[in-house]
């Protein structure tokens, strides 16, 4: 009797061990990185039995280099074609090993047809956020966006923070997700304010504010926007400048990153805010015409991975 129990115990420990090895291999395969071996050993160690309750609450921890980014593109309910187009643009980018969610953000629907068409879009794509507000550009939509996020994404079982970074984007900007993520990797995950510094010739991220073409903050700043009275009391005015005022008044953004000139306005017509297209681009802004979009997409070779098929021929 004693002997059997001892054997069963040994067998249990052995099989638990192999189960953990199996979990770690799974986790490492997901990583597909050079450091996967390192991850593997870290992973195995983190499962090492520390006491007798070993085996309970076995949860695969996300590796520490996972980055979660939310890109909220502020747009209007009626912009169906724009959303369709942007879904093509973002749906064909898939940066490896990170979570980048692109959502379209607008205020309350106001028309009967929107209630049908937007609901259908949500059923098909599930990439829309409807805020509790009336459409406006410079009267608090940005505030409603950021301050609604903690509640919208709070879960008891998901990771915390739900996103390390949140970006407010424009629907006339092209964001290259892989470059964005690479630029974020070395940066702090707290108290970060990232973007294209205004005024255009300035390279000092501590002087003014980040342009509305697309700015990004870490999750703690999102929570601060929800909690603080500073943003609540200053809603009206150019949204990007007002945002910069909150940050300054609240003494936030001790970490800042000037993404100039990997973010810029489209080069035509040239101004002090524009730049020629360049390979290390994070974002191109003011793509106001189809022609500008096409030239930009061509420059970045976005269709070069089109798979060959007998079903079509594109010269
Ligand atoms: C065993 O682990 C549990 C949960 O992690 C913990 O609450 C408990 O204090 C630990 N016991 C010992 C003896 O380390
Ligand atoms: C937005 O819609 C919700 C739900 O229909 C409603 O409760 C809320 O009052 C509306 N908000 C505004 C600002 O119109
Ligand atoms: C696009 O492809 C061309 C031809 O292969 C190459 O010379 C160019 O560097 C690529 N451009 C970018 C931005 O990667």
């Amino acid at each position: 009797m004693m002997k059997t129990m001892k054997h069963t115990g040994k067998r249990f420990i052995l099989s638990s061990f192999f189960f953990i090895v199996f979990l770690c291999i799974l986790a490492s395969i997901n990583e597909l990185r050079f450091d996967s071996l390192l991850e593997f050993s870290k992973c195995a160690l983190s499962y090492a039995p520390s006491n007798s309750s070993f085996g309970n609450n076995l949860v695969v921890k996300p590796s520490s280099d996972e980055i979660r980014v939310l890109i909220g593109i502020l747009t209007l309910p009626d912009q169906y074609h724009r959303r369709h187009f942007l879904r093509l643009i973002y749906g064909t980018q898939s940066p490896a090993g990170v979570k980048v969610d692109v959502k379209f953000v607008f205020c309350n629907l106001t028309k009967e047809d929107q209630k049908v068409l937007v609901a259908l879009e949500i059923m098909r794509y599930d990439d829309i956020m409807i805020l509790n507000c009336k459409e406006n550009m410079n009267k608090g939509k940005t505030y409603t966006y950021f301050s609604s996020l903690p509640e919208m994404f709070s879960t008891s079982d998901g990771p915390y923070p739900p996103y390390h970074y949140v970006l407010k984007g424009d629907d006339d900007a092209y964001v290259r997700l892989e470059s964005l993520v690479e630029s974020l990797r070395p940066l702090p995950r707290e108290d970060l304010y990232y973007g294209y510094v205004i005024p255009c010739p300035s390279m000092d991220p501590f002087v003014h504010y980040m342009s509305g073409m697309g700015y990004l903050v870490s999750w703690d700043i999102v929570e601060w926007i929800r909690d603080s009275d500073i943003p609540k009391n200053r809603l009206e005015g150019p949204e990007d400048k007002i945002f910069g005022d909150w940050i300054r008044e609240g003494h936030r953004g001790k970490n800042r990153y000037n993404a100039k000139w990997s973010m810029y306005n489209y080069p035509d017509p040239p101004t002090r805010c524009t730049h020629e297209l360049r390979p290390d681009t994070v974002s191109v802004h003011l793509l106001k015409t189809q022609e500008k979009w096409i030239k930009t997409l061509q420059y970045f070779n976005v269709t070069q991975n089109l798979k060959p098929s007998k079903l079509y021929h594109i010269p």
Side-chain angles (χ1 to χ4, degrees):
M1 186 61 184
M2 279 291 283
K3 222 174 159 187
T4 352
M5 269 182 69
K6 239 168 111 186
H7 272 145
T8 324
K10 250 190 210 158
R11 220 180 293 153
F12 172 72
I13 289 172
L14 257 180
S15 51
S16 304
F17 175 74
F18 282 116
F19 180 59
I20 288 160
V21 168
F22 170 73
L23 281 180
C24 291
I25 288 172
L26 266 187
S28 306
I29 286 172
N30 273 338
E31 287 305 309
L32 276 180
R33 321 188 73 79
F34 304 116
D35 55 356
S36 58
L37 224 100
L38 190 78
E39 281 305 322
F40 173 78
S41 50
K42 267 198 270 174
C43 177
L45 282 173
S46 69
Y47 290 134
S50 56
N51 66 27
S52 55
S53 68
F54 162 56
N56 295 342
N57 306 322
L58 205 58
V59 181
V60 177
K61 288 187 203 157
S63 75
S64 58
D65 65 351
E66 188 195 52
I67 298 188
R68 299 183 291 276
V69 187
L70 174 68
I71 298 185
I73 300 175
L74 271 56
T75 181
L76 298 170
D78 281 336
Q79 294 282 352
Y80 299 102
H81 293 293
R82 177 52 57 97
R83 284 198 291 284
H84 170 69
F85 177 69
L86 292 175
R87 283 186 185 112
L88 281 179
I89 296 301
Y90 293 111
T92 48
Q93 301 185 51
S94 45
V98 292
K99 176 180 155 93
V100 181
D101 290 341
V102 177
K103 305 266 186 209
F104 299 102
V105 181
F106 37 80
C107 294
N108 275 7
L109 306 182
T110 53
K111 303 178 192 159
E112 282 307 304
D113 62 344
Q114 291 171 348
K115 292 180 191 168
V116 175
L117 295 174
V118 171
L120 281 171
E121 278 184 83
I122 293 172
M123 290 163 74
R124 176 64 183 84
Y125 301 107
D126 197 14
D127 60 0
I128 285 176
M129 295 168 52
I130 303 179
L131 307 172
N132 180 358
C133 51
K134 253 176 78 182
E135 277 309 336
N136 68 83
M137 184 143 114
N138 290 323
K139 290 193 171 166
K141 183 175 178 180
T142 300
Y143 169 73
T144 310
Y145 167 55
F146 282 104
S147 61
S148 304
L149 295 175
E151 166 61 21
M152 282 178 157
F153 290 101
S154 79
T155 60
S156 48
D157 50 353
Y160 180 87
Y163 297 100
H164 299 106
Y165 303 113
V166 174
L167 186 139
K168 187 245 95 178
D170 264 6
D171 64 4
D172 61 353
Y174 171 51
V175 180
R176 297 177 73 235
L177 303 182
E178 199 151 332
S179 307
L180 171 69
V181 167
E182 286 319 308
S183 73
L184 292 173
R185 268 190 206 289
L187 299 182
R189 292 189 179 177
E190 272 94 44
D191 211 12
L192 178 72
Y193 182 30
Y194 168 120
Y196 173 103
V197 180
I198 294 290
C200 291
S202 164
M203 294 304 269
D204 182 351
F206 288 91
V207 167
H208 224 320
Y209 60 97
M210 306 298 183
S211 153
M213 69 170 71
Y215 51 85
L216 172 145
V217 291
S218 51
W219 187 258
D220 56 322
I221 291 189
V222 174
E223 290 182 332
W224 175 78
I225 292 171
R226 177 199 54 184
D227 296 335
S228 167
D229 285 333
I230 291 171
K232 269 188 205 85
N233 294 331
R234 277 212 73 184
L235 298 181
E236 299 211 6
E239 62 92 18
D240 48 2
K241 179 172 178 302
I242 294 290
F243 192 97
D245 291 346
W246 303 339
I247 297 286
R248 192 184 60 246
E249 237 176 275
H251 304 288
R252 302 288 133 170
K254 104 177 150 292
N255 300 308
R256 299 199 186 190
Y257 182 78
N258 171 29
K260 201 180 288 174
W261 290 98
S262 61
M263 293 173 81
Y264 48 88
N265 285 342
Y266 187 81
D268 179 34
T271 68
R272 292 192 310 170
C273 306
T274 61
H275 197 284
E276 292 304 313
L277 298 176
R278 46 187 280 171
D280 64 348
T281 295
V282 167
S283 175
V284 187
H285 180 232
L286 287 187
L287 296 171
K288 295 279 186 203
T289 63
Q290 166 113 333
E291 190 202 348
K292 290 177 182 179
W293 270 105
I294 297 300
K295 285 202 167 137
T296 302
L297 297 172
Q298 278 172 335
Y299 176 84
F300 291 109
N301 298 323
V302 298
T303 60
Q304 76 183 0
N305 291 327
L306 176 71
K307 76 172 171 20
S309 166
K310 286 189 272 190
L311 300 191
Y312 46 72
H313 44 88
I314 296 182

